[in-house]
Amino acid sequence: MRLKNSVLDWGARACVLPLLAAPVSNPDLYWHLNAAGRMLAEGRLPRDDAFSFTRLGDRWVDFEWLFQLTALGAEAAAGAWGLWALKAALWSLAAALVEGAGRLSGGAPRGRLLLALWCAASLGRAELKPELFSLAFFLALFLLLDSADRGLLPEASPVSAAAGAALIFACWANLHAGWPVGLGLIAAFLVFGAERARPACAAALAAGAAATLLNPYGCEVWTVLAEHLRFTPLLTEKILEWGPLTPRNPYH
């Protein structure tokens, strides 16, 4: 029985291999690397658009600057293989967290099924991109909150919950603008989760929101987010990767 379970576990985990073998590049990757190169050349974070034809010189809030430097560091260390290794590490981490989330709620069978379905759904977008950090942060945060809600972790005090959330969101806000979904996740557990954990969730939500301001652009990351939300209909129409999965996209 143990051998059978082990075979099933690793069979499900083998579904991650196509994600790791998918191309590293996407339309934005080398733009990100150029942005990092500009930072190193100028010795400062970008404050104006140097790459766009139509908005050259306009104000630029580069909320993914830390991802860009990380990717450039990986490329400098090992060239294209360094970029592939960074992509493989992030996708593997996300896969482990997905399986863990399934196992937490339904044991090994659900963990395997969730992992296989997630890998199939992710294959069309399995590149190296800053969204991978949001994926990893969200899944790790979900596992922490769900484990605490089920009483599987020692009860956290509001102070320790606030400190942990501040650390997570201060990093997240400098890597990718997906941090609002993390705040929404905490809010969901605050409203619907176990009553005993609500003081810690409230403290984590307040501290996490405040920690998003710990970035070189301050509250401007919130302004950029509001602009993205305002133009979402246009973005989903004009930018294919913002839209839903569709057979018109050959990657999908």
Side-chain angles (χ1 to χ4, degrees):
M1 188 65 177
R2 182 176 297 179
L3 177 60
K4 177 184 177 182
N5 286 334
S6 181
V7 170
L8 290 173
D9 287 343
W10 287 104
R13 291 164 189 162
C15 295
V16 180
L17 295 177
L19 301 181
L20 305 186
V24 172
S25 62
N26 63 67
D28 293 337
L29 178 59
Y30 294 97
W31 177 86
H32 285 304
L33 293 173
N34 274 333
R38 180 188 175 192
M39 290 181 226
L40 296 182
E42 297 181 356
R44 64 181 181 88
L45 295 180
R47 299 282 178 175
D48 59 275
D49 189 344
F51 303 129
S52 171
F53 173 72
T54 56
R55 297 178 64 89
L56 187 66
D58 278 8
R59 175 73 172 157
W60 179 25
V61 178
D62 186 6
F63 50 81
E64 296 167 337
W65 68 273
L66 188 53
F67 165 80
Q68 293 160 353
L69 289 177
T70 301
L72 185 64
E75 186 193 42
W81 285 110
L83 294 172
W84 187 90
L86 177 61
K87 187 197 91 159
L90 289 170
W91 277 108
S92 298
L93 172 60
L97 293 170
V98 167
E99 183 183 358
R103 285 175 176 267
L104 191 62
S105 64
R110 183 174 295 179
R112 298 179 198 122
L113 177 61
L114 186 63
L115 177 59
L117 293 175
W118 175 79
C119 288
S122 301
L123 185 57
R125 295 175 175 174
E127 315 107 339
L128 174 59
K129 48 192 175 184
E131 288 92 323
L132 292 179
F133 281 99
S134 280
L135 180 62
F137 276 121
F138 180 85
L139 290 168
L141 189 60
F142 175 80
L143 272 177
L144 283 172
L145 290 167
D146 196 26
S147 297
D149 193 64
R150 295 172 186 272
L152 300 177
L153 295 177
E155 190 170 331
S157 69
V159 173
S160 61
L167 179 61
I168 290 172
F169 283 91
C171 294
W172 197 344
N174 290 283
L175 287 161
H176 182 250
W179 47 265
V181 297
L183 295 177
L185 181 64
I186 298 176
F189 274 89
L190 174 62
V191 174
F192 301 108
E195 187 173 351
R196 68 180 183 282
R198 287 177 182 171
C201 280
L205 183 60
T212 62
L213 300 176
L214 298 178
N215 69 83
Y217 302 95
C219 64
E220 287 184 277
V221 295
W222 287 78
T223 304
V224 169
L225 178 65
E227 290 178 355
H228 278 70
L229 291 175
R230 184 159 64 98
F231 290 108
T232 293
L234 180 63
L235 292 170
T236 55
E237 177 187 349
K238 301 297 184 183
I239 303 178
L240 194 59
E241 67 177 331
W242 279 66
L245 292 171
T246 168
R248 291 178 297 168
N249 185 334
Y251 286 103
H252 300 169

